[in-house]
Short mmCIF file of all heavy atoms in Angstrom, two decimals:
data_model
loop_
_atom_site.label_atom_id
_atom_site.label_comp_id
_atom_site.label_asym_id
_atom_site.label_seq_id
_atom_site.Cartn_x
_atom_site.Cartn_y
_atom_site.Cartn_z
N MET A 53 -16.30 -8.72 -34.19
CA MET A 53 -15.11 -8.33 -33.33
C MET A 53 -15.61 -7.34 -32.30
O MET A 53 -16.05 -6.22 -32.56
CB MET A 53 -14.13 -7.63 -34.18
CG MET A 53 -13.32 -8.67 -35.05
SD MET A 53 -11.71 -8.98 -34.36
CE MET A 53 -10.80 -7.52 -34.90
N GLY A 54 -15.54 -7.77 -31.00
CA GLY A 54 -15.95 -6.92 -29.90
C GLY A 54 -14.85 -5.86 -29.61
O GLY A 54 -13.68 -6.11 -29.91
N LYS A 55 -15.27 -4.85 -28.96
CA LYS A 55 -14.22 -3.97 -28.45
C LYS A 55 -13.48 -4.49 -27.29
O LYS A 55 -13.97 -5.32 -26.51
CB LYS A 55 -14.89 -2.60 -27.95
CG LYS A 55 -15.35 -1.72 -29.10
CD LYS A 55 -15.89 -0.42 -28.46
CE LYS A 55 -16.38 0.47 -29.62
NZ LYS A 55 -17.03 1.68 -29.07
N LYS A 56 -12.19 -4.18 -27.25
CA LYS A 56 -11.40 -4.67 -26.12
C LYS A 56 -11.33 -3.58 -25.01
O LYS A 56 -11.04 -2.44 -25.32
CB LYS A 56 -10.01 -5.02 -26.57
CG LYS A 56 -10.02 -6.26 -27.42
CD LYS A 56 -8.58 -6.63 -27.75
CE LYS A 56 -8.60 -7.96 -28.57
NZ LYS A 56 -7.35 -8.34 -29.10
N PHE A 57 -11.56 -4.02 -23.78
CA PHE A 57 -11.41 -3.07 -22.71
C PHE A 57 -10.22 -3.54 -21.77
O PHE A 57 -10.10 -4.71 -21.60
CB PHE A 57 -12.70 -3.06 -21.90
CG PHE A 57 -13.88 -2.47 -22.60
CD1 PHE A 57 -14.73 -3.25 -23.33
CD2 PHE A 57 -14.13 -1.09 -22.58
CE1 PHE A 57 -15.80 -2.77 -24.04
CE2 PHE A 57 -15.15 -0.57 -23.28
CZ PHE A 57 -16.02 -1.34 -24.02
N VAL A 58 -9.61 -2.61 -21.31
CA VAL A 58 -8.53 -2.84 -20.32
C VAL A 58 -9.02 -2.33 -19.04
O VAL A 58 -9.42 -1.18 -18.91
CB VAL A 58 -7.22 -2.17 -20.72
CG1 VAL A 58 -6.15 -2.46 -19.66
CG2 VAL A 58 -6.77 -2.61 -22.12
N GLU A 59 -8.99 -3.24 -18.00
CA GLU A 59 -9.44 -2.80 -16.71
C GLU A 59 -8.26 -2.41 -15.83
O GLU A 59 -7.22 -3.12 -15.76
CB GLU A 59 -10.23 -3.97 -15.99
CG GLU A 59 -11.56 -4.17 -16.59
CD GLU A 59 -12.36 -5.15 -15.76
OE1 GLU A 59 -12.13 -5.23 -14.54
OE2 GLU A 59 -13.28 -5.78 -16.36
N TYR A 60 -8.37 -1.32 -15.18
CA TYR A 60 -7.40 -0.89 -14.20
C TYR A 60 -7.94 -0.90 -12.78
O TYR A 60 -9.10 -0.49 -12.61
CB TYR A 60 -6.88 0.52 -14.56
CG TYR A 60 -6.11 0.65 -15.84
CD1 TYR A 60 -6.70 1.08 -17.01
CD2 TYR A 60 -4.74 0.35 -15.83
CE1 TYR A 60 -6.05 1.12 -18.24
CE2 TYR A 60 -4.04 0.46 -17.06
CZ TYR A 60 -4.69 0.93 -18.19
OH TYR A 60 -3.99 0.97 -19.32
N GLU A 61 -7.17 -1.34 -11.88
CA GLU A 61 -7.52 -1.24 -10.44
C GLU A 61 -6.50 -0.34 -9.80
O GLU A 61 -5.26 -0.70 -9.88
CB GLU A 61 -7.57 -2.67 -9.82
CG GLU A 61 -8.77 -3.42 -10.29
CD GLU A 61 -8.82 -4.77 -9.63
OE1 GLU A 61 -7.77 -5.26 -9.23
OE2 GLU A 61 -9.90 -5.39 -9.68
N LEU A 62 -6.96 0.65 -9.16
CA LEU A 62 -6.05 1.56 -8.53
C LEU A 62 -6.32 1.58 -6.99
O LEU A 62 -7.49 1.47 -6.58
CB LEU A 62 -6.24 3.07 -9.06
CG LEU A 62 -5.85 3.24 -10.48
CD1 LEU A 62 -6.19 4.66 -10.92
CD2 LEU A 62 -4.32 3.01 -10.69
N TYR A 63 -5.26 1.73 -6.24
CA TYR A 63 -5.45 1.61 -4.75
C TYR A 63 -4.76 2.91 -4.15
O TYR A 63 -3.72 3.32 -4.52
CB TYR A 63 -4.79 0.38 -4.26
CG TYR A 63 -5.42 -0.85 -4.78
CD1 TYR A 63 -4.98 -1.42 -5.95
CD2 TYR A 63 -6.58 -1.37 -4.14
CE1 TYR A 63 -5.61 -2.58 -6.45
CE2 TYR A 63 -7.18 -2.47 -4.66
CZ TYR A 63 -6.68 -3.14 -5.82
OH TYR A 63 -7.34 -4.20 -6.32
N LEU A 64 -5.50 3.37 -3.15
CA LEU A 64 -4.93 4.46 -2.37
C LEU A 64 -4.26 3.80 -1.22
O LEU A 64 -4.85 2.98 -0.50
CB LEU A 64 -6.13 5.35 -1.91
CG LEU A 64 -5.82 6.69 -1.16
CD1 LEU A 64 -5.18 7.65 -2.10
CD2 LEU A 64 -7.09 7.17 -0.58
N VAL A 65 -3.03 4.20 -1.01
CA VAL A 65 -2.25 3.62 0.11
C VAL A 65 -1.97 4.75 1.12
O VAL A 65 -1.32 5.73 0.80
CB VAL A 65 -0.87 3.07 -0.40
CG1 VAL A 65 -0.13 2.40 0.73
CG2 VAL A 65 -1.08 2.07 -1.53
N TYR A 66 -2.52 4.55 2.30
CA TYR A 66 -2.36 5.59 3.37
C TYR A 66 -1.68 5.04 4.57
O TYR A 66 -2.00 3.96 5.01
CB TYR A 66 -3.74 6.08 3.68
CG TYR A 66 -3.76 7.08 4.83
CD1 TYR A 66 -3.27 8.31 4.65
CD2 TYR A 66 -4.28 6.74 6.08
CE1 TYR A 66 -3.29 9.28 5.68
CE2 TYR A 66 -4.26 7.62 7.12
CZ TYR A 66 -3.75 8.84 6.96
OH TYR A 66 -3.76 9.77 7.98
N VAL A 67 -0.71 5.76 5.11
CA VAL A 67 -0.07 5.35 6.33
C VAL A 67 -0.37 6.50 7.36
O VAL A 67 0.03 7.63 7.18
CB VAL A 67 1.42 5.18 6.23
CG1 VAL A 67 2.06 4.88 7.58
CG2 VAL A 67 1.74 4.03 5.24
N ASP A 68 -1.04 6.12 8.41
CA ASP A 68 -1.33 7.11 9.48
C ASP A 68 -0.01 7.28 10.32
O ASP A 68 0.40 6.44 10.96
CB ASP A 68 -2.47 6.53 10.40
CG ASP A 68 -2.88 7.55 11.45
OD1 ASP A 68 -2.09 8.42 11.87
OD2 ASP A 68 -4.11 7.54 11.81
N GLN A 69 0.56 8.48 10.09
CA GLN A 69 1.89 8.72 10.77
C GLN A 69 1.75 8.76 12.26
O GLN A 69 2.83 8.52 12.94
CB GLN A 69 2.47 10.05 10.23
CG GLN A 69 2.73 10.07 8.73
CD GLN A 69 3.86 9.03 8.34
OE1 GLN A 69 4.95 9.15 8.83
NE2 GLN A 69 3.58 8.08 7.44
N ASP A 70 0.60 9.06 12.78
CA ASP A 70 0.49 9.03 14.25
C ASP A 70 0.43 7.59 14.81
O ASP A 70 0.89 7.35 15.93
CB ASP A 70 -0.82 9.77 14.70
CG ASP A 70 -0.71 11.27 14.41
OD1 ASP A 70 0.43 11.79 14.42
OD2 ASP A 70 -1.76 11.91 14.21
N LYS A 71 -0.06 6.67 13.99
CA LYS A 71 -0.18 5.30 14.49
C LYS A 71 1.10 4.45 14.15
O LYS A 71 1.38 3.46 14.88
CB LYS A 71 -1.39 4.62 13.83
CG LYS A 71 -2.76 5.04 14.36
CD LYS A 71 -3.78 4.26 13.77
CE LYS A 71 -5.17 4.71 14.30
NZ LYS A 71 -6.31 3.95 13.60
N CYS A 72 1.76 4.82 13.10
CA CYS A 72 2.89 3.98 12.69
C CYS A 72 4.01 4.00 13.71
O CYS A 72 4.41 5.02 14.25
CB CYS A 72 3.49 4.56 11.38
SG CYS A 72 5.00 3.76 10.84
N GLU A 73 4.47 2.74 14.10
CA GLU A 73 5.52 2.60 15.08
C GLU A 73 6.86 2.35 14.51
O GLU A 73 7.86 2.01 15.18
CB GLU A 73 5.06 1.53 16.08
CG GLU A 73 3.84 1.88 16.85
CD GLU A 73 3.31 0.76 17.75
OE1 GLU A 73 3.78 -0.42 17.58
OE2 GLU A 73 2.50 1.01 18.58
N GLY A 74 6.86 2.38 13.15
CA GLY A 74 8.22 2.18 12.53
C GLY A 74 8.83 0.83 12.67
O GLY A 74 10.03 0.66 12.58
N CYS A 75 7.99 -0.24 12.65
CA CYS A 75 8.45 -1.60 12.78
C CYS A 75 9.08 -2.10 11.52
O CYS A 75 9.88 -3.05 11.52
CB CYS A 75 7.40 -2.52 13.26
SG CYS A 75 6.07 -2.85 12.04
N GLY A 76 8.66 -1.53 10.36
CA GLY A 76 9.23 -1.96 9.12
C GLY A 76 8.64 -3.13 8.43
O GLY A 76 9.12 -3.58 7.35
N GLN A 77 7.64 -3.75 9.04
CA GLN A 77 7.05 -4.97 8.53
C GLN A 77 6.41 -4.74 7.17
O GLN A 77 6.54 -5.58 6.28
CB GLN A 77 5.97 -5.54 9.48
CG GLN A 77 6.55 -6.00 10.81
CD GLN A 77 7.50 -7.19 10.54
OE1 GLN A 77 7.13 -8.22 10.11
NE2 GLN A 77 8.75 -6.95 10.90
N CYS A 78 5.75 -3.62 6.94
CA CYS A 78 5.13 -3.30 5.66
C CYS A 78 6.11 -3.26 4.54
O CYS A 78 5.90 -3.70 3.40
CB CYS A 78 4.30 -2.05 5.70
SG CYS A 78 5.23 -0.64 6.23
N ILE A 79 7.33 -2.73 4.83
CA ILE A 79 8.35 -2.57 3.83
C ILE A 79 8.98 -3.97 3.47
O ILE A 79 9.22 -4.24 2.34
CB ILE A 79 9.51 -1.67 4.43
CG1 ILE A 79 8.86 -0.26 4.52
CG2 ILE A 79 10.67 -1.69 3.51
CD1 ILE A 79 9.51 0.55 5.58
N ILE A 80 9.10 -4.81 4.53
CA ILE A 80 9.61 -6.17 4.27
C ILE A 80 8.65 -6.99 3.42
O ILE A 80 9.07 -7.63 2.55
CB ILE A 80 9.90 -6.83 5.66
CG1 ILE A 80 11.03 -6.19 6.38
CG2 ILE A 80 10.17 -8.34 5.44
CD1 ILE A 80 11.15 -6.60 7.85
N TYR A 81 7.36 -6.88 3.75
CA TYR A 81 6.37 -7.83 3.10
C TYR A 81 5.72 -7.27 1.74
O TYR A 81 5.18 -8.04 1.04
CB TYR A 81 5.33 -8.20 4.11
CG TYR A 81 5.78 -9.17 5.04
CD1 TYR A 81 6.20 -8.83 6.37
CD2 TYR A 81 5.86 -10.54 4.75
CE1 TYR A 81 6.71 -9.75 7.28
CE2 TYR A 81 6.39 -11.49 5.64
CZ TYR A 81 6.77 -11.04 6.96
OH TYR A 81 7.22 -12.03 7.80
N CYS A 82 5.76 -6.00 1.56
CA CYS A 82 5.16 -5.51 0.29
C CYS A 82 5.92 -6.06 -0.90
O CYS A 82 7.13 -5.83 -1.05
CB CYS A 82 5.15 -3.94 0.20
SG CYS A 82 4.46 -3.36 -1.34
N PRO A 83 5.24 -6.81 -1.80
CA PRO A 83 5.91 -7.43 -2.93
C PRO A 83 6.40 -6.47 -3.99
O PRO A 83 7.12 -6.90 -4.94
CB PRO A 83 4.95 -8.45 -3.48
CG PRO A 83 3.60 -7.85 -3.09
CD PRO A 83 3.76 -7.17 -1.77
N VAL A 84 5.82 -5.22 -4.00
CA VAL A 84 6.11 -4.32 -5.15
C VAL A 84 6.76 -2.98 -4.62
O VAL A 84 6.68 -2.05 -5.34
CB VAL A 84 4.91 -4.06 -5.96
CG1 VAL A 84 4.52 -5.36 -6.80
CG2 VAL A 84 3.73 -3.64 -5.12
N ASP A 85 7.35 -3.05 -3.48
CA ASP A 85 8.23 -1.95 -3.03
C ASP A 85 7.47 -0.56 -2.94
O ASP A 85 7.98 0.43 -3.43
CB ASP A 85 9.42 -1.80 -3.99
CG ASP A 85 10.57 -1.03 -3.41
OD1 ASP A 85 10.64 -0.94 -2.16
OD2 ASP A 85 11.38 -0.52 -4.12
N VAL A 86 6.29 -0.60 -2.39
CA VAL A 86 5.44 0.65 -2.28
C VAL A 86 6.06 1.64 -1.26
O VAL A 86 6.04 2.86 -1.44
CB VAL A 86 3.96 0.35 -2.02
CG1 VAL A 86 3.21 1.58 -1.53
CG2 VAL A 86 3.35 -0.32 -3.21
N PHE A 87 6.61 1.02 -0.22
CA PHE A 87 6.99 1.92 0.94
C PHE A 87 8.39 2.30 0.97
O PHE A 87 9.29 1.50 0.57
CB PHE A 87 6.59 1.21 2.25
CG PHE A 87 5.19 0.82 2.38
CD1 PHE A 87 4.74 -0.48 2.03
CD2 PHE A 87 4.26 1.71 2.81
CE1 PHE A 87 3.38 -0.82 2.08
CE2 PHE A 87 2.91 1.39 2.87
CZ PHE A 87 2.52 0.13 2.59
N ASP A 88 8.62 3.53 1.46
CA ASP A 88 10.03 3.84 1.84
C ASP A 88 9.95 4.07 3.37
O ASP A 88 8.87 4.13 3.95
CB ASP A 88 10.42 5.20 1.22
CG ASP A 88 11.11 4.98 -0.18
OD1 ASP A 88 11.62 3.82 -0.36
OD2 ASP A 88 11.05 5.87 -0.94
N PHE A 89 11.14 4.18 3.93
CA PHE A 89 11.22 4.22 5.38
C PHE A 89 12.19 5.24 5.93
O PHE A 89 13.32 5.27 5.45
CB PHE A 89 11.63 2.82 5.86
CG PHE A 89 11.49 2.60 7.38
CD1 PHE A 89 10.32 2.54 7.97
CD2 PHE A 89 12.68 2.59 8.10
CE1 PHE A 89 10.20 2.33 9.31
CE2 PHE A 89 12.55 2.37 9.48
CZ PHE A 89 11.37 2.30 10.06
N SER A 90 11.79 6.08 6.81
CA SER A 90 12.67 6.98 7.53
C SER A 90 11.96 7.26 8.83
O SER A 90 11.12 8.11 8.91
CB SER A 90 12.83 8.25 6.67
OG SER A 90 13.31 9.29 7.48
N ILE A 91 12.33 6.49 9.83
CA ILE A 91 11.73 6.45 11.15
C ILE A 91 10.33 5.82 11.09
O ILE A 91 9.97 4.91 11.84
CB ILE A 91 11.66 7.85 11.84
CG1 ILE A 91 13.07 8.40 11.90
CG2 ILE A 91 11.04 7.70 13.21
CD1 ILE A 91 13.09 9.84 12.46
N LYS A 92 9.49 6.33 10.17
CA LYS A 92 8.20 5.72 9.87
C LYS A 92 8.06 5.38 8.46
O LYS A 92 8.84 5.86 7.60
CB LYS A 92 7.12 6.77 10.32
CG LYS A 92 7.20 7.07 11.80
CD LYS A 92 6.01 7.89 12.30
CE LYS A 92 6.21 8.07 13.78
NZ LYS A 92 4.99 8.55 14.40
N ALA A 93 7.03 4.59 8.14
CA ALA A 93 6.82 4.11 6.74
C ALA A 93 6.05 5.23 5.99
O ALA A 93 5.20 5.93 6.49
CB ALA A 93 6.01 2.86 6.75
N TYR A 94 6.40 5.35 4.75
CA TYR A 94 5.76 6.29 3.80
C TYR A 94 5.50 5.66 2.47
O TYR A 94 6.41 5.04 1.90
CB TYR A 94 6.65 7.58 3.63
CG TYR A 94 5.93 8.59 2.83
CD1 TYR A 94 4.99 9.41 3.41
CD2 TYR A 94 6.27 8.72 1.48
CE1 TYR A 94 4.31 10.38 2.60
CE2 TYR A 94 5.55 9.67 0.67
CZ TYR A 94 4.60 10.54 1.27
OH TYR A 94 3.92 11.40 0.47
N PRO A 95 4.34 5.78 1.92
CA PRO A 95 4.01 5.10 0.65
C PRO A 95 4.48 5.91 -0.53
O PRO A 95 3.76 6.71 -1.12
CB PRO A 95 2.46 5.02 0.65
CG PRO A 95 1.99 6.12 1.56
CD PRO A 95 3.07 6.32 2.53
N SER A 96 5.75 5.78 -0.84
CA SER A 96 6.40 6.55 -1.97
C SER A 96 6.01 6.13 -3.35
O SER A 96 5.94 6.95 -4.27
CB SER A 96 7.92 6.39 -1.90
OG SER A 96 8.37 6.94 -0.67
N ARG A 97 5.57 4.89 -3.49
CA ARG A 97 5.23 4.36 -4.86
C ARG A 97 3.85 3.68 -4.87
O ARG A 97 3.78 2.51 -5.13
CB ARG A 97 6.33 3.37 -5.33
CG ARG A 97 7.66 4.13 -5.70
CD ARG A 97 8.79 3.16 -5.85
NE ARG A 97 9.10 2.53 -4.59
CZ ARG A 97 9.92 3.09 -3.70
NH1 ARG A 97 10.42 4.25 -3.87
NH2 ARG A 97 10.16 2.50 -2.52
N PRO A 98 2.78 4.39 -4.48
CA PRO A 98 1.47 3.76 -4.42
C PRO A 98 0.95 3.29 -5.73
O PRO A 98 0.08 2.38 -5.78
CB PRO A 98 0.55 4.96 -3.88
CG PRO A 98 1.29 6.23 -4.32
CD PRO A 98 2.75 5.89 -4.22
N GLN A 99 1.53 3.80 -6.86
CA GLN A 99 1.07 3.33 -8.14
C GLN A 99 1.45 1.84 -8.39
O GLN A 99 0.91 1.21 -9.31
CB GLN A 99 1.69 4.20 -9.29
CG GLN A 99 3.12 4.10 -9.48
CD GLN A 99 3.99 4.98 -8.50
OE1 GLN A 99 3.53 5.53 -7.54
NE2 GLN A 99 5.26 5.12 -8.89
N ASN A 100 2.38 1.34 -7.57
CA ASN A 100 2.80 -0.05 -7.70
C ASN A 100 1.81 -1.03 -7.08
O ASN A 100 1.82 -2.16 -7.30
CB ASN A 100 4.17 -0.34 -7.10
CG ASN A 100 5.23 0.31 -7.85
OD1 ASN A 100 5.12 0.92 -8.89
ND2 ASN A 100 6.51 0.20 -7.29
N CYS A 101 0.89 -0.45 -6.22
CA CYS A 101 0.15 -1.35 -5.29
C CYS A 101 -0.77 -2.30 -6.07
O CYS A 101 -1.47 -1.88 -7.04
CB CYS A 101 -0.69 -0.47 -4.39
SG CYS A 101 -1.75 -1.37 -3.24
N LEU A 102 -0.76 -3.57 -5.62
CA LEU A 102 -1.56 -4.59 -6.22
C LEU A 102 -2.85 -4.93 -5.49
O LEU A 102 -3.62 -5.75 -5.85
CB LEU A 102 -0.78 -5.87 -6.31
CG LEU A 102 0.58 -5.77 -6.98
CD1 LEU A 102 1.42 -7.05 -6.73
CD2 LEU A 102 0.44 -5.57 -8.45
N GLY A 103 -3.00 -4.24 -4.30
CA GLY A 103 -4.21 -4.43 -3.44
C GLY A 103 -4.22 -5.71 -2.72
O GLY A 103 -5.23 -6.17 -2.31
N CYS A 104 -3.04 -6.34 -2.48
CA CYS A 104 -3.04 -7.63 -1.82
C CYS A 104 -3.31 -7.50 -0.34
O CYS A 104 -3.66 -8.47 0.33
CB CYS A 104 -1.65 -8.29 -1.99
SG CYS A 104 -0.29 -7.42 -1.14
N ARG A 105 -3.15 -6.41 0.24
CA ARG A 105 -3.49 -6.02 1.65
C ARG A 105 -2.56 -6.77 2.67
O ARG A 105 -2.90 -6.89 3.78
CB ARG A 105 -4.94 -6.29 2.00
CG ARG A 105 -5.92 -5.40 1.11
CD ARG A 105 -7.32 -5.59 1.48
NE ARG A 105 -8.18 -4.86 0.57
CZ ARG A 105 -8.53 -3.58 0.68
NH1 ARG A 105 -8.15 -2.89 1.79
NH2 ARG A 105 -9.29 -3.08 -0.20
N THR A 106 -1.43 -7.25 2.19
CA THR A 106 -0.49 -7.85 3.14
C THR A 106 0.02 -6.87 4.09
O THR A 106 0.22 -7.13 5.29
CB THR A 106 0.70 -8.39 2.29
OG1 THR A 106 0.20 -9.33 1.37
CG2 THR A 106 1.74 -9.10 3.19
N CYS A 107 0.25 -5.59 3.69
CA CYS A 107 0.73 -4.61 4.53
C CYS A 107 -0.29 -4.31 5.69
O CYS A 107 0.10 -4.16 6.91
CB CYS A 107 1.04 -3.30 3.79
SG CYS A 107 -0.38 -2.71 2.82
N GLU A 108 -1.53 -4.29 5.41
CA GLU A 108 -2.54 -4.12 6.47
C GLU A 108 -2.50 -5.28 7.49
O GLU A 108 -2.61 -5.13 8.64
CB GLU A 108 -3.95 -4.07 5.89
CG GLU A 108 -4.35 -2.80 5.23
CD GLU A 108 -5.75 -2.78 4.72
OE1 GLU A 108 -6.42 -3.86 4.50
OE2 GLU A 108 -6.33 -1.70 4.57
N ALA A 109 -2.31 -6.51 6.94
CA ALA A 109 -2.25 -7.71 7.80
C ALA A 109 -1.10 -7.78 8.75
O ALA A 109 -1.20 -8.23 9.89
CB ALA A 109 -2.35 -8.94 6.92
N VAL A 110 0.07 -7.27 8.25
CA VAL A 110 1.23 -7.33 9.08
C VAL A 110 1.50 -6.18 9.99
O VAL A 110 2.34 -6.16 10.86
CB VAL A 110 2.56 -7.52 8.24
CG1 VAL A 110 2.49 -8.84 7.45
CG2 VAL A 110 2.84 -6.34 7.34
N CYS A 111 0.63 -5.11 9.81
CA CYS A 111 0.79 -3.92 10.63
C CYS A 111 -0.02 -4.06 11.94
O CYS A 111 -1.21 -3.94 11.91
CB CYS A 111 0.27 -2.69 9.83
SG CYS A 111 0.53 -1.16 10.80
N ASN A 112 0.77 -4.27 13.03
CA ASN A 112 0.10 -4.49 14.33
C ASN A 112 -0.58 -3.17 14.80
O ASN A 112 -1.49 -3.25 15.63
CB ASN A 112 1.14 -4.91 15.35
CG ASN A 112 1.57 -6.38 15.11
OD1 ASN A 112 0.80 -7.09 14.50
ND2 ASN A 112 2.76 -6.70 15.42
N SER A 113 -0.18 -1.99 14.33
CA SER A 113 -0.77 -0.82 14.88
C SER A 113 -1.90 -0.29 13.98
O SER A 113 -2.38 0.82 14.23
CB SER A 113 0.31 0.28 15.08
OG SER A 113 1.47 0.05 14.30
N LYS A 114 -2.27 -1.09 12.95
CA LYS A 114 -3.37 -0.69 12.05
C LYS A 114 -3.11 0.66 11.39
O LYS A 114 -4.04 1.50 11.26
CB LYS A 114 -4.69 -0.70 12.82
CG LYS A 114 -4.99 -1.97 13.55
CD LYS A 114 -5.45 -3.06 12.61
CE LYS A 114 -5.78 -4.34 13.32
NZ LYS A 114 -5.31 -5.57 12.62
N ALA A 115 -1.88 1.00 11.10
CA ALA A 115 -1.56 2.32 10.52
C ALA A 115 -1.79 2.35 9.03
O ALA A 115 -1.93 3.37 8.45
CB ALA A 115 -0.12 2.60 10.86
N VAL A 116 -1.72 1.17 8.37
CA VAL A 116 -1.84 1.18 6.90
C VAL A 116 -3.31 0.92 6.54
O VAL A 116 -4.00 0.06 7.06
CB VAL A 116 -0.99 0.06 6.28
CG1 VAL A 116 -0.99 0.20 4.74
CG2 VAL A 116 0.33 0.03 6.82
N ILE A 117 -3.80 1.74 5.63
CA ILE A 117 -5.17 1.55 5.11
C ILE A 117 -5.08 1.56 3.53
O ILE A 117 -4.55 2.53 2.96
CB ILE A 117 -6.06 2.76 5.57
CG1 ILE A 117 -6.15 2.77 7.10
CG2 ILE A 117 -7.44 2.64 4.91
CD1 ILE A 117 -6.86 3.95 7.61
N ILE A 118 -5.56 0.51 2.94
CA ILE A 118 -5.66 0.34 1.55
C ILE A 118 -7.13 0.52 1.04
O ILE A 118 -8.01 -0.11 1.60
CB ILE A 118 -5.16 -1.04 1.05
CG1 ILE A 118 -3.78 -1.36 1.61
CG2 ILE A 118 -5.24 -1.16 -0.43
CD1 ILE A 118 -2.67 -0.46 1.04
N THR A 119 -7.28 1.46 0.16
CA THR A 119 -8.67 1.74 -0.36
C THR A 119 -8.65 1.57 -1.89
O THR A 119 -7.82 2.15 -2.54
CB THR A 119 -9.10 3.15 -0.01
OG1 THR A 119 -8.85 3.35 1.39
CG2 THR A 119 -10.55 3.34 -0.32
N GLU A 120 -9.58 0.82 -2.39
CA GLU A 120 -9.71 0.72 -3.87
C GLU A 120 -10.38 1.93 -4.39
O GLU A 120 -11.45 2.34 -3.86
CB GLU A 120 -10.50 -0.58 -4.23
CG GLU A 120 -10.44 -0.86 -5.69
CD GLU A 120 -11.11 -2.18 -6.04
OE1 GLU A 120 -11.27 -2.99 -5.10
OE2 GLU A 120 -11.38 -2.39 -7.21
N ILE A 121 -9.82 2.53 -5.42
CA ILE A 121 -10.43 3.79 -5.99
C ILE A 121 -10.71 3.60 -7.48
O ILE A 121 -10.31 2.61 -8.04
CB ILE A 121 -9.48 4.98 -5.84
CG1 ILE A 121 -8.04 4.68 -6.34
CG2 ILE A 121 -9.39 5.43 -4.35
CD1 ILE A 121 -7.19 5.95 -6.29
S1 SF4 B 329 3.87 -2.16 9.54
FE1 SF4 B 329 2.66 -0.45 10.33
S2 SF4 B 329 3.70 0.23 12.15
FE2 SF4 B 329 5.08 -1.03 10.94
S3 SF4 B 329 6.30 0.48 9.71
FE3 SF4 B 329 4.54 -0.29 8.43
S4 SF4 B 329 2.92 1.21 8.80
FE4 SF4 B 329 4.41 1.48 10.45
S1 SF4 B 330 -1.63 -3.87 -0.48
FE1 SF4 B 330 0.07 -5.28 -1.10
S2 SF4 B 330 1.02 -4.28 -2.85
FE2 SF4 B 330 -0.28 -2.74 -1.88
S3 SF4 B 330 1.10 -1.59 -0.56
FE3 SF4 B 330 0.17 -3.27 0.70
S4 SF4 B 330 1.59 -5.06 0.58
FE4 SF4 B 330 2.11 -3.57 -1.07
#
């Protein structure tokens, strides 16, 4: 019987507030509700992030940066 390991992948979700234009696309497309919105996007629930990088793809101003940690 081998030991069982559980792998965790954690992601840092960063929104550059200077670049964010408040289009709301990241909020619409994030499948796990990471972002909240008040004029600009803010990653309120980064622990939900799956690392799919959809938010990076839909952000025309390149304000979202996902980093695996
Ligand atoms: S998609 Fe980019 S520009 Fe639009 S709200 Fe999200 S972070 Fe801001
Ligand atoms: S990488 Fe995917 S799960 Fe993570 S914040 Fe962006 S859209 Fe949401």
